[in-house]
Amino acid sequence: MTTVKDILDFLETVAPSSMKESWDRVGLNCGRLDRPVTTVLVALDPFADVCQEAAEIGAELLVTHHALLWEPGFITDETEQGRNALFLIENNIACINAHTNLDCAPGGVNDILAQKLGLTDITVIDPKGTDEKGRPYGLLRQGVVAEQSLYSFMEAVKKALGCQRLKFTDGGRKVNRVAVGGGACGSELQDAYKAGCDTFVTADIKYNQFWEARSLGINLIDAGHFHTENPVCVYLTEKLRQAFPEVTVAMSAWHADCASFY
Amino acid sequence: MTTVKDILDFLETVAPSSMKESWDRVGLNCGRLDRPVTTVLVALDPFADVCQEAAEIGAELLVTHHALLWEPGFITDETEQGRNALFLIENNIACINAHTNLDCAPGGVNDILAQKLGLTDITVIDPKGTDEKGRPYGLLRQGVVAEQSLYSFMEAVKKALGCQRLKFTDGGRKVNRVAVGGGACGSELQDAYKAGCDTFVTADIKYNQFWEARSLGINLIDAGHFHTENPVCVYLTEKLRQAFPEVTVAMSAWHADCASFY
Amino acid sequence: MTTVKDILDFLETVAPSSMKESWDRVGLNCGRLDRPVTTVLVALDPFADVCQEAAEIGAELLVTHHALLWEPGFITDETEQGRNALFLIENNIACINAHTNLDCAPGGVNDILAQKLGLTDITVIDPKGTDEKGRPYGLLRQGVVAEQSLYSFMEAVKKALGCQRLKFTDGGRKVNRVAVGGGACGSELQDAYKAGCDTFVTADIKYNQFWEARSLGINLIDAGHFHTENPVCVYLTEKLRQAFPEVTVAMSAWHADCASFY
Amino acid sequence: MTTVKDILDFLETVAPSSMKESWDRVGLNCGRLDRPVTTVLVALDPFADVCQEAAEIGAELLVTHHALLWEPGFITDETEQGRNALFLIENNIACINAHTNLDCAPGGVNDILAQKLGLTDITVIDPKGTDEKGRPYGLLRQGVVAEQSLYSFMEAVKKALGCQRLKFTDGGRKVNRVAVGGGACGSELQDAYKAGCDTFVTADIKYNQFWEARSLGINLIDAGHFHTENPVCVYLTEKLRQAFPEVTVAMSAWHADCASFY
Amino acid sequence: MTTVKDILDFLETVAPSSMKESWDRVGLNCGRLDRPVTTVLVALDPFADVCQEAAEIGAELLVTHHALLWEPGFITDETEQGRNALFLIENNIACINAHTNLDCAPGGVNDILAQKLGLTDITVIDPKGTDEKGRPYGLLRQGVVAEQSLYSFMEAVKKALGCQRLKFTDGGRKVNRVAVGGGACGSELQDAYKAGCDTFVTADIKYNQFWEARSLGINLIDAGHFHTENPVCVYLTEKLRQAFPEVTVAMSAWHADCASFY
Amino acid sequence: MTTVKDILDFLETVAPSSMKESWDRVGLNCGRLDRPVTTVLVALDPFADVCQEAAEIGAELLVTHHALLWEPGFITDETEQGRNALFLIENNIACINAHTNLDCAPGGVNDILAQKLGLTDITVIDPKGTDEKGRPYGLLRQGVVAEQSLYSFMEAVKKALGCQRLKFTDGGRKVNRVAVGGGACGSELQDAYKAGCDTFVTADIKYNQFWEARSLGINLIDAGHFHTENPVCVYLTEKLRQAFPEVTVAMSAWHADCASFY
């Protein structure tokens, strides 16, 4: 019978923990290794609604991108994270996360994002190393699209990622070579620029980063944290379905950013 | 004749440097104290276009909210900040900034923002001290609006601040008691919540802060860094005009956020 | 109905968290504040056997001296502490601890230990402050016994604390003024000496501390971590019974040190 | 004529200072390198009684495991360590120590301890490197005894080391593969466990380390700091006698732990 | 009979250790408190020649300005400081130092230096506190001389302190208000300048400090570390003679800087 | 046309920035890379008089050993360094410095100093690495002179470096093997001694360093910061003239130490 440990071991091959950033913590967040698993829920975040959804579909395991517990502390209903952890443990639901290891891994968050945006000739910007198959890994990806106006490209981004709105600054250049970084990668702007890209798609961009882009003359697009990272859930879901055909793997139907535009 | 020093001394009464955060640096950024001043330009940021504008209108002094130099370094055209500093000095334009001291000061960034949004009964949240007139000072402000739906309030915010779009999460509550913090104050969300506010208007909000708001049940509105801080420029301009009637005080016509929505 | 929060609030009056050492963490360790409580188990440590015992007697709350979780981490069965926390949460058992706050509080660990050893004229050595009733608090206690040989006193200690063996060094003095510190207080030896004591009873004493005692000429007795701290369980049990007559308060029957002598 | 320097140089071959822990200080503690040596005293600690003994037997050199001075300070009779250093210098007695370098060295503290306990197939646990002869060095040793009950093994330990009492926790396993670490090595318990040992003999074990052993299911025996480290004195004495036949090498007759059991 | 402790206690009234800089260590450097003292040698430094001199005149105590041991370490003849300490201890000579406490104390190094230079109206620059008699204490002193040329003043300095040469920079001002700081006080130049002094006499001045003086327009004179601090030896000698008429108090005849000019 | 960048690139080959100390900052200090250069001024320090001189001779570039800005700060006339930077920028004069990279580089400050003093068989003491031509680099140099008295050698030093006076301590040895370190290298005394030198020429020597030299028995000569470093200006001037024959390269005529002797 498939156990939590079987799935943890499989995810280690998909996103080796050795590829994570040094400050990050990944792996089994709560639960027991030998717990049998018949149903898995895959989601971006282990937020309260997602935990609720996991319970409702009878999942014994939740696989997420972001961790369940961020700060050291006790597990009580005095905090939001404590409440989520209590709920999962009380309902015998284990939780595994793959965070910066999945961002950097070949085939992970940023490869998925690049493909989703239709980039070709996708490569790793500033690789941190190679995996055992010799494939480079690292945070950002870059690739090529047919040269087009920024507005044409943004229209395509909205369609590909299902975003309501994009926030952007126009760097005054046509779009041809695009860097991508799912989630809050604004601080990597210089790396995207030095790699020769004319356009950078990421999320949670700060005021001064938009100004920095304008001064460098690079198009900078904030497509939203959720929309740039969520595509990896489809990938994880499929990977798990292939590896564990006997297990039901659901992707969170509770499937949206909590922020809107008006 | 009015000098840079005269204006620096006056700004110290408007936003005493003792009110700044310990990590912040404010005051004269470049230039000479005894330089005569006939024209001042007031702007949010000493970015390249603003420096250009200052030169074009013949200003001898630029007064800004954000600092000219953020990191220790040499003053060369190898960096954006170095280029801006070189340009100002080469053109004999001094630069003074008032940053977190102006955020916290009575009548400063956040009082202006609260007034601009039509709040009444405006008070300081968690005051850090009192000024020499006994007025409390500190980062956030709170106040009251007639009870209304979130959409009605957001419509008013867009009009008041001139924003193209708001990014927000709906906390599920009517709007009545509103906290405000110009610029990136997302990390102060707990303080706004504990003060009993149902709604918080600030900028540069991160993904997890939207989720935190949703879980607390507080409306959170990102109205943009520029739009929440820029109103203070009108205030600074008027203050300077009153204090120095012989000086021409212009507000930057170069007057927009560099980020747009699509 | 009595809740976890009611008992947490009561324990805050017995051992205020403001009296704890700065590095320590105390309070609710796991569980929910509004959980009704009909049965409490009091024990020194939330070890696996104690957690089992709590479940067996139907306790909804475990009150301990030592904390459930010492190091930041995830809550999984990969570690002993994770297993204990999982077990308690899965069985809906909350856990509260009072550690260095209970050591220092008037009437706490060290007052109980001093009384148990028959000391009179008990006072606090180097008080850290006073509580709201004006009573001094701090780590060590000192008091007086009728002058006697070290062997006579050690015989009494063994009887009073139920120790199998004592490890000690003979400082060459009669016993009359005794300092006590439950648990590992060997590093406080100088304080006991400077307070004028001829004998110090504590636990987990290291090699060089025995030598330091010998060189100072003070009798030093290691009566065991468990035996010097466990008496406080009786006190906590009685306090809880008085305050919550409607609740069943049991003291752990699983009641022994895990270390023996041969 | 043999000098202090000759013996210092020889000891560097027995326990190279490059094998010491980074926080440790070893070598010549007090005295002059060119002082002629006719008599050496070997002891575990340079305590007051040992210094007295050295003077009484006319030794010009004291060789110890623990250092003479632990903390930076002046050399006065205001402290115990100052008094010992004053006494040695006033009596023209040099002092050399070999501490963690001797713990780790091939043939050092822990090899001696392992042999003393009758272990066979002795190897280094987690070697830190190899010496110039290619022999691995490191802190702990492991080896094999004929499978036996814990009580049978403890009887043998008491005989071999001359301990009055052992403090122990029963991990519930037969004794067959034993790890040893002289002195306070309780924090290395996990390393002994991961190496596959069923039993670990060391000293100065703390309360929670006994509990950790119980939870891991490993027998843990505290045989005393003195008793686990003192056998190395015989080894050092013999080594020095072989190397310097013209010198009288005495082992401290003042030869006991200062702690007893009652 | 007078003991080391009697003299240590007396020096604590002359230069309270509470006046020392936090990084400094002062008091008994080596030796025994109850050692009878018939002869004291006073010197600036406990260098090898001074230690030799102390032995030759039969002193049981050496009182110095600088400490015997600067860095933590063992007491061996492998280092200069170890050799000096060995020599003193072997010859039963105690050593007491008063360093930054004597610099700052009323009547100490810098008051003596100011008097020696003929200053009047001597006051403390930036006092750090007051002693029990209400007298301010602190590092630098300032005072007044009849207005004169820099060369005239330097002539007087050479005579007063017995210097062979002065190294100086001419700040372009007459000498009237003079700051003094014995030893290496070049980093206090700004304090002397802000106090309104036209001239600063100290020692061990660095290249950039001369340039800083020139740019500030203040005369800066390096009169040598030895020559600016040694006058305090006369003061200490007299103080000790008055307090202990039964003791012979000698001032080091070995009485010169080791650096010369060519 | 020759630009600032051309000269910056050339100086990188003379004194690669990879040879600098980690705490040091070197390179372009102020100005623009593409500025045409017809005249360069070479000087030891970018002090106010030197900046003035650069303006007077129409230099577009100042090349110095010491940096223009030492501490992070704004560029205002409130500080000496701010004033110098303002002056240079206002006058369109760029500034490049080569500091510890030039001290260490083959042919740099210390090679020049060694040659100037007539040393033969010049080698690097404790090399830190080799450059791309395989030449070792590092701070100090040593070399040989014909054996002579210290006074004879000092006479030669004064002539070679143009010093008014030397401050020195006589180590009691003939001069034959000499170590040199331009500027304040007193803390490298042990390295010079261990390299077998009998004499060390450097600058800004502190009181205790003279004593350390005396105790080691090594002649120590303080020839002044300016005089030991300034010879490199001739070297830089010549190098620049050879590399850029079309550019006028002047060496500062404002050419003296600001400190004198009396």
Side-chain angles (χ1 to χ4, degrees), chain C residues 43-45 47 49-50 53 161-162 164 225-227 230 233 251-260, chain D residues 169 207 210-211 214:
Chain C
L44 201 59
D45 297 278
F47 288 136
D49 304 82
V50 170
E53 183 186 10
L161 303 184
Q164 188 187 357
H225 202 110
F226 175 83
H227 297 288
N230 198 50
C233 292
M251 211 178 77
S252 177
W254 189 85
H255 211 231
D257 197 352
C258 86
S260 309
Chain D
T169 200
Y207 177 63
F210 278 119
W211 279 105
R214 192 170 182 282

Side-chain angles (χ1 to χ4, degrees), chain C residues 45 155 169 207 258 260 262, chain D residues 45 155 168-169 207 258 260 262:
Chain C
D45 297 278
E155 196 61 41
T169 200
Y207 177 63
C258 86
S260 309
Y262 179 74
Chain D
D45 297 277
E155 197 59 42
F168 71 100
T169 200
Y207 177 63
C258 86
S260 310
Y262 179 74

